[in-house]
Amino acid sequence: MFDRKFILATCVAAALMPAAFAQTPAKPIAVPQPAAAPSNETVPDGGMPAWIKPETPEHRRERVGTHPDPGTNPDPSVHFWRFGKSFHIERYDRKWAAYDREEGTVRPVATVNFAFEIYQQNEKYVWVWVGDPDPQEGLQPVTPVPSSRYSESDLKFFNVLRPQFFPLDPPKNNRTIRFKESSDGLPQTGSFRHSMAIADMNEDGFLDLVLPPQRGGGEGLPAIYLGDGKGHWTGWPATVPHALDYGSVVVADFNKDGHMDMAFSVHLTGVFVYLGDGKGHFSEVYEGLPRDFPTRRLVVADINGDGYPDLVAITEGPTARPAQGEPRGPLIALINKNKGKSWQVENIVPPGVRTGADWLSAGQFNEDGRTDFVLGSIYLGSRDIFYLSKGSNEWAALENDQARDLIPWGAYFYGNAAGKITSKKRDDAIISYVRSWPSDLDPNTIGRPPLADETAIDRVSFAEDGTATRYPIVRWGGHRPVTGLALADVDGDGNLDVVYADATKQELVILLGDGKGGFTRANTEGLKLLGLSIYDLKVVDVNGDGKPDVLVMYESGASTNAASSGGLATPTFGAQNGSVHVFLNRGFSKAETQVRKSSK
């Protein structure tokens, strides 16, 4: 069958050869794609490029190692013989880059764990050396298969798939929801990712905001901002055992002493738990917590039903760090033992399954009372994104219905959420993804659809017997993913609504649900989205007025370099311009409310 062979070949190429994410070779979609390179001798936008440190001409010749010199704007189609191997040079927008590996390297697409050696950079772009595949090693890019080689069943599948590459816009409604920014006291500089937490940390009855350690700043410490119930925030000088690298934070009372505790998923490291006393002092527990599990997202769930909160962490993807001890799957449960003082690791997804990303949601998709999961995946075409419980500490992947393309074919999966949208007993899942129409498919055989690349949000609903059906919600052209997505009853009608960040149009969108699976788009006032990367948004009532508010945190657009000691990132160009914002929900505008009443 084409689907399995094509996806397997593409995944192998993507995992083994970073050039699959570059401009020149045939490739699956990259998020975002490299910037187009101008002619070689023009000064590019962003200023004259340079190495990350001052260098003499002699040092440059030794570092570059090519003849002739690639020049100011290397043509990506030109290949250079360098240190015994063939390379070409790709250019990427720096706003998507992550400088969190050894000095002199960069991950030009931060959501993908491939690092490249830097050729040069300026304020706007970074150029990287991309190794060309050695035909003797069989690592050449996947060669497009002529349409004539597709089987009849393959073509039937693409005919089913084709309507899913048309734009889809939810109908607009006549409601306008007003918001007022209330970020007084929150940080307006820094770099914040991947997920924050909201809880009453100082036990005064008001919700507080807990930020994970910053990437590239903040001394590696989490930050707690106390809320006053009116939208104002004050930093809390809490004390924690030690600094951590960036990742996500969750909050729960793990030892059930009445005080909030914190757990962190730490980039390239593992999971840490700090127990709190309600007064701002935290102590660390160690036993059973993995320190060899690269993760940047975790959630709280009672896995074994004993009433104590457990943790579930997802791997951030392939890394060069070897695992130690027992093999770990890409999704693990940390079972709370001895009132949070020790933890037991259980594989939810077995080792060897190719899945993992920075997004994870827990829900109850079947009716056995146990926790199920929906995952993101940075592996192109991996469909292992749903794991449903099958008994005590046992889960199985949701089987894909190939004929209906139940789990979207050929996709990268990003932000997701779970909640009771159409049923009071079972959760629905909201998934987002990007994918491309196969460019090698002869348009005379099957006409090309309007969207060559698409970003989409769908709802997956589960029946009583555990079978699933996918329903489209919204779909648009491009390949900038949805990295912030949440469910909440924003308009107070008793039905869950979808809130997401559209990076293409730089806007926050609210789709109001009707409780039956349908959604219409509301107008908004006072919501704005900055042109910076986000990895999470929360929709929570932080001021206690019964209306969910919107919280967003941004990663800095300024670049960072990995420090030589400790692996923490430090700024290299300018101040970190990430920030945290809260928008209080003020309900419907009076004029729109009157319109709605008169139309009934």
Side-chain angles (χ1 to χ4, degrees):
M1 177 62 190
F2 162 78
D3 184 42
R4 180 165 28 180
K5 292 179 180 177
F6 180 85
I7 295 304
L8 178 59
T10 309
C11 286
V12 170
L16 295 179
M17 187 191 65
F21 292 93
Q23 297 172 347
T24 309
K27 65 177 190 311
I29 55 173
V31 185
Q33 293 201 30
S39 63
N40 189 44
E41 294 308 319
T42 59
V43 176
D45 191 17
M48 180 61 72
W51 174 234
I52 61 173
K53 295 179 179 179
E55 60 179 351
T56 65
E58 292 77 14
H59 177 265
R60 175 181 172 83
R61 284 194 294 270
E62 292 177 1
R63 175 179 64 83
V64 172
T66 67
H67 182 77
D69 190 288
T72 303
N73 276 312
D75 184 339
S77 66
V78 174
H79 299 266
F80 302 94
W81 191 251
R82 180 173 185 256
F83 307 129
K85 294 183 179 181
S86 179
F87 289 83
H88 65 281
I89 297 172
E90 297 284 353
R91 192 184 82 173
Y92 290 82
D93 287 316
R94 283 189 67 182
K95 64 182 179 181
W96 304 113
Y99 293 76
D100 54 4
R101 302 295 171 85
E102 61 269 22
E103 187 177 43
T105 66
V106 63
R107 288 189 297 129
V109 181
T111 55
V112 177
N113 281 307
F114 292 121
F116 298 85
E117 181 186 353
I118 297 170
Y119 168 62
Q120 63 184 17
Q121 61 186 19
N122 64 12
E123 290 288 349
K124 188 170 183 180
Y125 299 110
V126 59
W127 288 256
V128 299
W129 293 101
V130 177
D132 298 323
D134 183 350
Q136 300 302 317
E137 298 177 1
L139 298 182
Q140 61 268 31
V142 177
T143 302
V145 182
S147 297
S148 59
R149 292 179 58 185
Y150 289 133
S151 69
E152 205 165 312
S153 61
D154 295 336
L155 297 178
K156 287 181 180 179
F157 171 76
F158 284 124
N159 272 316
V160 172
L161 189 68
R162 187 174 181 273
Q164 299 181 36
F165 282 80
F166 281 67
L168 176 64
D169 294 315
K172 293 184 178 180
N173 57 51
N174 59 3
R175 306 179 192 182
T176 298
I177 304 176
R178 299 179 298 114
F179 291 87
K180 179 181 179 182
E181 183 164 5
S182 189
S183 307
D184 180 37
L186 293 178
Q188 300 303 298
T189 59
S191 188
F192 304 95
R193 54 185 279 184
H194 277 77
S195 184
M196 55 188 159
I198 295 95
D200 182 5
M201 300 300 292
N202 64 341
E203 301 167 16
D204 65 350
F206 301 122
L207 290 181
D208 310 312
L209 179 58
V210 184
L211 302 179
Q214 297 182 41
R215 184 178 79 90
E219 299 179 343
L221 299 175
I224 300 174
Y225 290 87
L226 302 180
D228 64 357
K230 300 177 182 179
H232 304 103
W233 309 90
T234 303
W236 198 28
T239 57
V240 297
H242 58 81
L244 299 167
D245 205 349
Y246 74 93
S248 293
V249 60
V250 294
V251 171
D253 185 3
F254 295 119
N255 55 3
K256 303 193 81 168
D257 65 351
H259 308 306
M260 290 292 105
D261 312 310
M262 301 185 292
F264 302 87
S265 55
V266 179
H267 170 57
L268 293 179
T269 306
V271 178
F272 292 74
V273 173
Y274 293 167
L275 301 180
D277 64 357
K279 299 178 181 179
H281 303 102
F282 293 86
S283 59
E284 185 173 11
V285 297
Y286 302 90
E287 186 176 343
L289 293 172
R291 295 292 191 266
D292 59 350
F293 186 75
T295 176
R296 298 188 296 207
R297 181 72 61 132
L298 77 171
V299 297
V300 176
D302 185 1
I303 297 298
N304 56 2
D306 66 352
Y308 280 85
D310 305 308
L311 294 166
V312 178
I314 184 172
T315 179
E316 63 191 81
T319 70
R321 290 193 178 185
Q324 303 172 2
E326 292 293 323
R328 306 211 191 280
L331 186 71
I332 61 172
L334 300 166
I335 308 299
N336 186 339
K337 299 288 185 179
N338 191 23
K339 297 184 178 181
K341 295 180 181 179
S342 63
W343 301 79
Q344 176 182 319
V345 176
E346 299 278 354
N347 285 324
I348 296 176
V349 178
V353 175
R354 298 175 63 81
T355 194
D358 291 324
W359 293 271
L360 169 67
S361 297
Q364 292 198 349
F365 303 134
N366 54 28
E367 295 189 21
D368 66 356
R370 300 180 183 274
T371 307
D372 311 305
F373 302 94
V374 56
L375 293 62
S377 182
I378 63 171
Y379 291 90
L380 178 67
S382 170
R383 289 174 163 181
D384 292 303
I385 64 168
F386 283 99
Y387 277 82
L388 276 59
S389 59
K390 298 297 181 182
S392 178
N393 290 358
E394 183 179 356
W395 294 264
L398 177 66
E399 293 186 9
N400 177 58
D401 185 330
Q402 174 66 28
R404 294 186 298 124
D405 193 37
L406 171 61
I407 301 174
W409 167 89
Y412 295 104
F413 295 93
Y414 292 89
N416 53 51
K420 290 179 171 55
I421 297 174
T422 60
S423 169
K424 300 299 182 184
K425 296 181 179 180
R426 297 177 300 278
D427 289 329
D428 291 289
I430 303 295
I431 61 173
S432 69
Y433 54 94
V434 295
R435 60 178 176 175
S436 294
W437 181 257
S439 59
D440 62 300
L441 189 59
D442 186 352
N444 295 318
T445 303
I446 299 179
R448 288 197 179 98
L451 302 180
D453 303 320
E454 68 172 8
T455 302
I457 299 176
D458 295 345
R459 174 176 62 89
V460 179
S461 184
F462 295 83
E464 187 174 352
D465 62 0
T467 58
T469 305
R470 178 166 62 93
Y471 301 92
I473 296 176
V474 59
R475 193 185 305 130
W476 63 92
H479 47 252
R480 298 190 67 179
V482 174
T483 55
L485 190 154
L487 283 170
D489 181 9
V490 179
D491 62 345
D493 66 351
N495 302 315
L496 286 181
D497 311 313
V498 176
V499 183
Y500 68 92
D502 181 347
T504 301
K505 296 181 179 179
Q506 295 296 327
E507 60 184 0
L508 290 168
V509 179
I510 298 178
L511 302 179
L512 300 181
D514 62 5
K516 301 176 182 179
F519 294 91
T520 57
R521 179 165 177 163
N523 299 306
T524 63
E525 291 180 359
L527 279 182
K528 60 182 179 180
L529 192 64
L530 302 179
L532 297 170
S533 297
I534 70 170
Y535 287 77
D536 185 36
L537 67 84
K538 303 292 186 189
V539 185
V540 179
D541 179 13
V542 297
N543 60 350
D545 64 356
K547 296 185 288 289
D549 310 305
V550 176
L551 298 87
V552 182
M553 66 178 189
Y554 296 95
E555 182 183 17
S556 175
S559 68
T560 56
N561 260 334
S564 58
S565 61
L568 299 179
T570 55
T572 58
F573 281 99
Q576 299 280 70
N577 62 347
S579 53
V580 181
H581 300 265
V582 174
F583 300 93
L584 298 181
N585 185 342
R586 296 308 190 192
F588 296 110
S589 64
K590 184 176 181 180
E592 294 298 335
T593 303
Q594 291 173 344
V595 169
R596 289 193 297 115
K597 288 181 178 179
S598 63
S599 65
K600 292 183 179 179

